[in-house]
Amino acid sequence: DEKYLDQTVEQVKQTLIEQHGEEDFSVRTIADLLNILTAITNVIRFFLAAVAGMSLFVGGVGVMNIMLVSVKQKTREIGLRKAIGATSKNILYQFLIETVVISIIAGLLGIFFGVTLSWIISIVVQSLDYDYLFIITPSMIVIPLVVSSLVGMTFGLAPAKRASKMDPISSLRYE
């Protein structure tokens, strides 16, 4: 019984000390093991969060590089659009929308591969006679799409601002 746990541990220790002559053992309870398991789980959770954060950062840098190349390739187009009346705001929105579309497509691909891998893992686990359910909730789709859009928009803002501030005359002369 849980209310007699400490008393029982002490009795077990005393009995073992009497039999061994010294305390060359340790007595652990289920509560101790649960605390150890919780500590290990927290470390793993922190590690996975750090890996996820680094992955988002690297993905954001990748999106930013793609958008910088896109701005460079469309320099003449930006100059032409500005020369015929497009505002800096129009150019900014053009590149932000492009960034969000790229990010959403990347997010959808990530969701597809993640769901596929999870489904394969569930089949393997079920084939080993474990009771394992494969469940996909709407939040498992919406949250990654929102996060990938926000990361894309955040990292795509600098190239979009750069494009919106280009001088139309020098942009048209660009080769």
Side-chain angles (χ1 to χ4, degrees), residues 13 27 82 84 89-90 97 135 150 156 162-163 172 174:
K13 280 185 178 181
V27 178
K82 281 191 157 194
I84 61 172
K89 198 176 199 180
N90 295 133
I97 290 170
I135 299 172
L150 289 174
R162 175 183 278 183
L172 285 170
Y174 180 76

Side-chain angles (χ1 to χ4, degrees), residues 5-168:
L5 187 62
D6 292 335
Q7 181 182 351
T8 305
V9 167
E10 285 304 316
Q11 288 177 352
V12 167
K13 280 185 178 181
Q14 288 305 319
T15 303
L16 288 172
I17 288 172
E18 290 171 8
Q19 289 180 357
H20 289 236
E22 62 178 312
E23 192 171 335
D24 59 351
F25 57 86
S26 63
V27 178
R28 293 196 177 120
T29 64
I30 295 295
D32 296 336
L33 295 177
L34 186 60
N35 288 338
I36 292 170
L37 185 61
T38 302
I40 291 170
T41 305
N42 287 339
V43 168
I44 291 172
R45 185 178 298 138
F46 175 76
F47 176 74
L48 289 176
V51 168
M54 290 299 295
S55 298
L56 285 173
F57 180 75
V58 168
V61 169
V63 167
M64 186 168 58
N65 286 336
I66 289 170
M67 293 312 298
L68 285 170
V69 169
S70 179
V71 167
K72 196 78 157 167
Q73 288 177 343
K74 295 179 182 179
T75 300
R76 290 185 63 117
E77 176 189 334
I78 294 166
L80 182 62
R81 287 190 66 208
K82 281 191 157 194
I84 61 172
T87 64
S88 293
K89 198 176 199 180
N90 295 133
I91 304 296
L92 180 77
Y93 286 157
Q94 172 190 346
F95 284 97
L96 282 179
I97 290 170
E98 187 177 333
T99 302
V100 170
V101 168
I102 290 171
S103 299
I104 287 175
I105 290 171
L108 287 172
L109 285 171
I111 290 168
F112 172 75
F113 287 119
V115 167
T116 303
L117 183 64
S118 298
W119 179 69
I120 291 169
I121 289 172
S122 73
I123 289 174
V124 170
V125 170
Q126 289 170 358
S127 71
L128 297 172
D129 291 330
Y130 288 101
D131 192 23
Y132 185 81
L133 297 176
F134 176 71
I135 299 172
I136 301 292
T137 61
S139 65
M140 297 167 90
I141 305 297
V142 172
I143 292 172
L145 283 178
V146 169
V147 169
S148 69
S149 297
L150 289 174
V151 167
M153 193 178 304
T154 301
F155 282 88
L157 194 58
K161 279 186 177 182
R162 175 183 278 183
S164 70
K165 292 180 180 178
M166 283 185 172
D167 179 43

